[in-house]
Amino acid sequence: MEPRPRSFYVLGAIFALFVLFLYGPTITIAILSFQGPQGGLTFPMNGVSLHWFADLFEQQAVGDIWGSFGRSLVLGLMVMVVTVVVSVMGGLAFRKKFRGSGVLFLLIVTSLIIPSILVSLGVGLIFNIAGLNVHWSTSGFGAQLTWTLPFGLLIMFAVFNRFDASFEEAARDQGATPWQTIRHVVLPIIAPSLIGVALFGFTLSYDEFARTLLTAGSYNTLPLEIFGMTTNVTSPVLYALGTLTTLFSLAIIGVFLGGAFIAQRRRARRASDAGKGMV
Amino acid sequence: MSDIEITAPATAPARATGLYRVPEAVTAWALASPLVLVLGFFLVLPVITIVVVSFWGSTEWSFYPAFLWDNYQFLLTSPVTLSVYLNTLMYTVLTWVFTLAIGFTVAYFLAFHVRTQTWQIALFLLCTIPFWTSNIIRMISWIPFLGRNGIANSVLLDLGIVSEPVEWLLFSDFAVVLAFVHLYTLFMVVPIFNTMMRIDKSLIEAARDAGATGGQILWNVIIPLTKPGIMIGSIFVVTLVMGDFITVRFMSGGQSASVGRMISNEIALLQYPAAAADAVILLLTVLIMISAMLRFVDIRKEL
């Protein structure tokens, strides 16, 4: 290998600093969440304990964390499923020529760049004027979809742009119906990307604050609950909550990445099923 | 990775065989219909509602249908509006400059200095992980750093750089911009890295063979070819910062204003028509900025 130029070390150092900048604060609050019962929001550590984690599990100590966590989880799963299904359908639609596709694409981009508070305000107003109650599973759900769907679709566009259409032609030549082609050829090939879309859908929803603010109604989602806590809780219990939610997010990424890995492996194993026929 | 077909594999050739020859446009519309429904009801309709309500009248406790220019008149003649917009613009420009500088450098390092693809992907994932955790938690995590008794202040005191704790680290414009950079640099790294990875390495070799210096290669080859990624990242950062209200409120300790905060305050006071008028102006501002930026790049080609 040729020797590294000096710029490599300079840039490498900048990269390391960037990573430190990204992770440093989060790691700090993770450490501080193990403060002793007398500990405060900053260093020095005043003993080491699980006191603040225990606090989280006590009923009514600090708001309705577990209720809001459950709602965020359910909402995240709802958003995830709808995002995957609608994105795949949308992605397939955009492979065909149809009138209005340009306008629809523009709409998708708009959905991505429109300030979140406008969606929140607009959806809230519609429900208000129509005399409906805002609720996380209706208005909140829809408002979040305007954020997750564009991401899902952009991934699908990228996937289909790189999709080798000769697989489909081969399936058709074998006499497969359009549905069979999608079910047995297209979907298995794009499965790993679908896991990516699902991950985006779930975590974007799970963390979404601005779009849910005016559309969640009287029951908070977790980000709303955490935000409420920041204004009235001044103990390391906040950090304990931060640490737990961060760990939870990491676990979710792990699950999805593991799923993607397995999907890839299965695909690799099945790669040569010539002669085995269609399932 | 490099031999990716950018052009769409296109529409399947029309088949002669088969009994189920539904017109392509019908299938396409059927497939797109859930998307159209969601965006229609939760994006188009809300925007129309905001525009309509921005002309409505309001009392202290309710709002009613009308066609008034009052909201706009108040908004556009109030000296507060201008200063709030200038403040928001300052946040946007500062955040944009920092995220671009950092994002470009990081992406450049990953794309051109890290040699194996495994390491590239591993380091890239390392950068994206924080993105998946809550923004509010990431904001909170600055408290032990920037607070009066925080790490930054104790280091500065220990080193004898300052004799009194620095007060402006937390709950200040500095903290707001810092948090923005922390939250949004990734939105620059990802698209820039993405476009850099598609640059044909032989172009760089050709430039080097022709006697170009490192700086010349960067300026005349890499930056022009990376422009689409830079634009997409910039669009993300600009719109996120322009519409933000939570970071500004939290990191400034409620002391600084931004357009988003102005809207959210009006909402809190139930002044919906005023908030709607504000929202319309914000939307126009953002759309003008974005359409100016989109002149430099065709997003559809970049996917």
Side-chain angles (χ1 to χ4, degrees):
Chain A
M1 270 210 208
E2 55 182 308
R4 301 278 194 186
R6 187 138 43 98
S7 58
F8 169 81
Y9 296 98
V10 177
L11 288 170
I14 293 177
F15 180 80
L17 280 177
F18 175 66
V19 172
L20 191 69
F21 170 68
L22 280 185
Y23 285 84
T26 318
I27 292 171
T28 312
I29 67 158
I31 296 170
L32 283 172
S33 58
F34 291 98
Q35 283 273 26
Q38 309 303 316
L41 285 173
T42 51
F43 285 107
M45 294 286 282
N46 207 331
V48 176
S49 74
L50 290 174
H51 176 85
W52 302 105
F53 289 95
D55 228 33
L56 272 182
F57 288 87
E58 267 164 34
Q59 278 296 311
Q60 280 148 14
V62 272
D64 181 22
I65 289 173
W66 298 101
S68 58
F69 172 72
R71 286 187 282 274
S72 276
L73 203 60
V74 174
L75 181 57
L77 291 173
M78 285 164 60
V79 169
M80 179 183 91
V81 171
V82 173
T83 303
V84 171
V85 173
V86 176
S87 299
V88 172
M89 290 175 73
L92 288 170
F94 270 92
R95 296 177 76 200
K96 305 171 189 297
K97 282 201 182 77
F98 63 99
R99 197 181 281 270
S101 65
V103 177
L104 190 55
F105 181 77
L106 214 63
L107 216 55
I108 293 165
V109 175
T110 312
S111 189
L112 196 63
I113 61 174
I114 194 168
S116 311
I117 192 167
L118 296 193
V119 176
S120 217
L121 173 65
V123 174
L125 279 173
I126 290 176
F127 274 66
N128 190 324
I129 293 168
L132 300 167
N133 274 330
V134 285
H135 192 269
W136 57 268
S137 66
T138 54
S139 46
F141 173 62
Q144 289 195 346
L145 284 178
T146 62
W147 178 231
T148 60
L149 282 181
F151 274 103
L153 281 159
L154 290 188
I155 298 176
M156 290 322 299
F157 290 161
V159 168
F160 282 129
N161 272 347
R162 290 157 179 70
F163 193 87
D164 189 347
S166 54
F167 288 118
E168 286 166 288
E169 276 164 40
R172 263 195 300 275
D173 291 347
Q174 305 282 329
T177 63
W179 168 245
Q180 281 175 328
T181 311
I182 289 176
R183 166 73 185 77
H184 296 293
V185 178
V186 178
L187 284 185
I189 292 178
I190 64 173
S193 324
L194 293 190
I195 291 173
V197 175
L199 178 60
F200 260 97
F202 181 85
T203 50
L204 288 178
S205 156
Y206 178 72
D207 284 338
E208 179 52 42
F209 179 83
R211 279 169 209 247
T212 338
L213 182 66
L214 301 172
T215 56
S218 27
Y219 296 103
N220 278 347
T221 58
L222 191 60
L224 296 172
E225 192 70 29
I226 294 175
F227 180 71
M229 284 178 69
T230 60
T231 53
N232 55 34
V233 177
T234 48
S235 71
V237 74
L238 206 56
Y239 295 163
L241 182 59
T243 307
L244 276 190
T245 52
T246 303
L247 285 178
F248 180 75
S249 301
L250 290 182
I252 294 279
I253 305 174
V255 168
F256 279 100
L257 284 183
F261 183 69
I262 291 169
Q264 201 100 46
R265 284 272 294 270
R266 276 180 56 181
R267 202 179 126 201
R269 212 170 47 226
R270 282 189 182 173
S272 64
D273 62 349
K276 287 181 190 165
M278 298 240 284
V279 185
Chain B
M1 283 297 273
S2 57
D3 56 351
I4 287 161
E5 282 260 337
I6 306 282
T7 48
T11 51
R15 281 172 314 131
T17 56
L19 301 166
Y20 23 76
R21 287 206 55 188
V22 185
E24 198 166 66
V26 175
T27 336
W29 269 106
L31 285 167
S33 56
L35 178 65
V36 174
L37 281 177
V38 172
L39 292 184
F41 193 77
F42 289 102
L43 181 75
V44 178
L45 202 56
V47 170
I48 294 173
T49 311
I50 289 175
V51 174
V52 170
V53 171
S54 70
F55 293 102
W56 285 15
S58 61
T59 63
E60 263 172 53
W61 61 87
S62 70
F63 57 108
Y64 54 91
F67 186 81
L68 309 167
W69 286 99
D70 298 20
N71 301 311
Y72 288 101
Q73 200 182 11
F74 176 78
L75 187 66
L76 296 176
T77 53
S78 159
V80 176
T81 310
L82 185 64
S83 72
V84 168
Y85 264 87
L86 286 179
N87 209 33
T88 312
L89 218 56
M90 174 194 77
Y91 288 144
T92 310
V93 171
L94 284 176
T95 307
W96 179 70
V97 168
F98 287 119
T99 51
L100 178 58
I102 300 172
F104 186 89
T105 316
V106 167
Y108 181 84
F109 174 75
L110 288 177
F112 294 112
H113 278 292
V114 178
R115 279 172 179 161
T116 66
Q117 209 188 20
T118 318
W119 271 105
Q120 271 176 336
I121 293 172
L123 292 178
F124 179 72
L125 280 180
L126 188 71
C127 294
T128 56
I129 285 173
F131 172 75
W132 303 107
T133 67
S134 165
N135 277 2
I136 295 173
I137 298 290
R138 290 173 71 197
M139 279 183 233
I140 295 169
S141 64
W142 281 107
I143 296 175
F145 259 91
L146 302 178
R148 199 164 189 285
N149 304 312
I151 295 171
N153 264 325
S154 31
V155 169
L156 289 176
L157 285 173
D158 287 348
L159 292 176
I161 296 173
V162 293
S163 52
E164 293 266 295
V166 186
E167 298 281 356
W168 51 262
L169 287 177
L170 191 60
F171 302 141
S172 60
D173 286 343
F174 168 80
V176 173
V177 175
L178 185 76
F180 276 138
V181 173
H182 191 223
L183 295 174
Y184 299 145
T185 300
L186 193 73
F187 284 94
M188 279 290 190
V189 175
V190 174
I192 295 179
F193 177 68
N194 207 6
T195 32
M196 276 181 177
M197 290 295 279
R198 287 198 227 150
I199 294 177
D200 191 345
K201 295 282 194 295
S202 57
L203 289 175
I204 295 164
E205 270 165 43
R208 193 169 291 131
D209 291 346
T213 63
Q216 282 173 325
I217 294 174
L218 182 69
W219 190 252
N220 295 319
V221 181
I222 294 175
I223 289 182
L225 289 174
T226 313
K227 214 166 66 183
I230 294 176
M231 279 304 149
I232 292 175
S234 304
I235 288 170
F236 264 115
V237 170
V238 166
T239 49
L240 284 166
V241 176
M242 283 297 290
D244 177 274
F245 56 101
I246 185 74
T247 314
V248 175
R249 175 169 160 197
F250 190 83
M251 297 304 288
S252 78
Q255 291 168 37
S256 297
S258 75
V259 185
R261 267 204 79 196
M262 195 157 77
I263 298 174
S264 82
N265 286 345
E266 278 158 351
I267 292 169
L269 295 170
L270 304 178
Q271 295 298 313
Y272 289 111
D278 250 349
V280 170
I281 304 285
L282 171 65
L283 187 59
L284 289 177
T285 316
V286 170
L287 287 181
I288 290 168
M289 291 170 85
I290 300 304
S291 50
M293 293 162 94
L294 280 178
R295 293 193 170 272
F296 296 95
V297 53
D298 179 356
I299 291 192
R300 255 187 117 155
K301 276 210 184 118
E302 295 309 318
L303 295 168

